[in-house]
């Protein structure tokens, strides 16, 4: 894409498409020495279109600051390579007071023979802060079920076969989706995905899956069951990074940790790993000591002896590896969920 003065002015005003914005960012990142001179030229000779007023000195400074911030943000995004998981996104759409998650959990509870009305669940969710005016955060989906004795598992990066297997095992699957991609204008929603990003804003209970179709119980529609083509459901589900909450009676548990393989860790954070690993051991040892455990060359549960009741540096490398793995995965998970770890100077 050709980077013209008109395009630069539109970028500074925020009146560009996502494709144009990325093109300008790329250009300015490759030519950082030109950023200020381009903006100064725009301020001095603003022949960029009759519909664009010449900025005052104050507004020019704002535009320049905004432009610099955009470029720095783009550079930061390039350094933070992993796809961010939408753990804090709100599942809420087209239901009274954004209650879609609560209504889905009501279906799950009644499926397992726990008779609670939707009104009771809404009141409880509001009381505990799980249901907010804007909806329910994805990481809180299933909390009501958990409170009533059911087992819940939050899983990202799932496949349609994972939903099928969970349903076949007798579980309830609550999937987070972009509700507008199920019931709204799909071409318009695809355009929004490109411009503002993926937006998981709704929850449905998946009833069945096949090679061509997916049946869901959707609190936003009057039908008991809605059937969508598999491709359409997958598009809507992709907005949550294929997130689902599996509700079960706890008889069978299949671990499904978040894939952190795309998260890169700097050398500085690798040093932090060792500090976290040692702290984890210290906390574990203190808790065991408070429970009456002491050092013993061989583990003895009756006498409460444990060979790992020693300082971290004296642990066997195999035990240190366990603590280090926990520490590095914690750091990676923080980054995967969209947070940064910044060292104070």
């Amino acid at each position: 894409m050709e980077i013209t003065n008109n395009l630069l002015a539109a970028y500074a005003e925020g009146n560009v498409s996502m494709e144009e914005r990325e093109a300008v960012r790329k250009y300015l990142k490759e030519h950082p020495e030109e950023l200020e001179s381009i903006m100064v030229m725009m301020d001095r000779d603003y022949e960029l279109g009759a519909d664009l007023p010449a900025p005052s000195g104050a507004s020019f400074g704002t535009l320049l600051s905004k432009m610099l911030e955009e470029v720095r943000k783009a550079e930061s995004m390039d350094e933070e390579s992993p796809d961010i998981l939408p753990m804090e996104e709100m599942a809420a759409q087209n239901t009274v007071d954004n209650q879609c998650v609560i209504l889905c959990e009501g279906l799950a509870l009644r499926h397992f023979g726990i008779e609670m009305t939707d009104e009771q669940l809404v009141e409880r969710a509001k009381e505990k802060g799980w249901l907010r005016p804007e909806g329910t955060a994805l990481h809180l989906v299933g909390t009501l079920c958990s409170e009533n004795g059911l087992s819940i598992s939050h899983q990202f990066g799932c496949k349609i076969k994972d939903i099928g297997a969970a349903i076949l095992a007798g579980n309830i699957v609550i999937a987070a989706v972009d509700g507008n991609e199920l019931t709204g204008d799909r071409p318009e929603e695809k355009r929004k995905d490109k411009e503002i990003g993926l937006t998981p804003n709704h929850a449905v209970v998946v009833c069945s899956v096949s090679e061509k179709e997916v049946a869901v119980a959707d609190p936003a529609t009057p039908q008991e069951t809605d059937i969508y083509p598999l491709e359409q459901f997958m598009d809507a589900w992709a907005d949550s990074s294929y997130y689902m909450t599996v509700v079960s009676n706890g008889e069978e548990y299949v671990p499904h940790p978040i894939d952190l393989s795309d998260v890169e860790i700097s050398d500085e954070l690798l040093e932090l790993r060792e500090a976290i690993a040692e702290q984890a051991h210290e906390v574990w040892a203190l808790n065991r000591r408070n429970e009456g455990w002491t050092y013993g060359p061989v583990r003895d549960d009756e006498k409460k002896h444990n060979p790992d009741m020693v300082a971290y540096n004296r642990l066997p490398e195999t035990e240190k590896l366990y603590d280090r793995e926990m520490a590095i995965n914690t750091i990676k998970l923080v980054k995967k969920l969209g947070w940064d770890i910044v060292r104070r100077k």
Side-chain angles (χ1 to χ4, degrees), residues 273-299:
R273 173 198 64 183
E274 199 67 8
I276 295 176
E278 183 172 355
Q279 174 69 1
H281 173 69
E282 292 293 320
V283 171
W284 173 85
L286 178 61
N287 288 335
R288 293 298 175 273
R289 180 181 178 183
N290 290 339
E291 294 170 356
W293 287 77
T294 58
Y295 171 80
V298 178
R299 175 163 177 153

Side-chain angles (χ1 to χ4, degrees), residues 5 18 24 41 81-82 91 97 171 203 217 222 237-238 276 294 303 322:
N5 285 345
M18 181 66 74
V24 173
M41 177 272 294
S81 59
D97 295 330
N171 303 322
W237 191 29
I276 295 176
T294 58
K303 295 180 179 179
Y322 176 84

Side-chain angles (χ1 to χ4, degrees), residues 3-50:
I3 307 300
T4 64
N5 285 345
N6 279 320
L7 181 56
L8 288 172
Y11 175 85
E13 292 285 353
N15 297 321
V16 291
S17 68
M18 181 66 74
E19 183 181 3
E20 290 170 331
R21 180 179 293 109
E22 293 304 317
V24 173
R25 285 175 173 174
K26 184 174 185 296
Y27 173 79
L28 293 174
K29 285 166 60 182
E30 293 172 350
H31 305 83
E33 73 285 352
E34 295 187 23
L35 177 59
E36 190 166 359
S37 63
I38 289 173
M39 293 300 294
V40 170
M41 177 272 294
M42 290 169 60
D43 188 46
R44 184 178 65 248
D45 185 14
Y46 210 80
E47 297 177 359
L48 303 176

Side-chain angles (χ1 to χ4, degrees), residues 231-243:
E231 180 185 0
Q232 183 176 353
F233 175 81
M234 294 300 290
D235 283 346
W237 191 29
D239 282 37
S240 68
S241 297
Y242 304 108
Y243 177 86

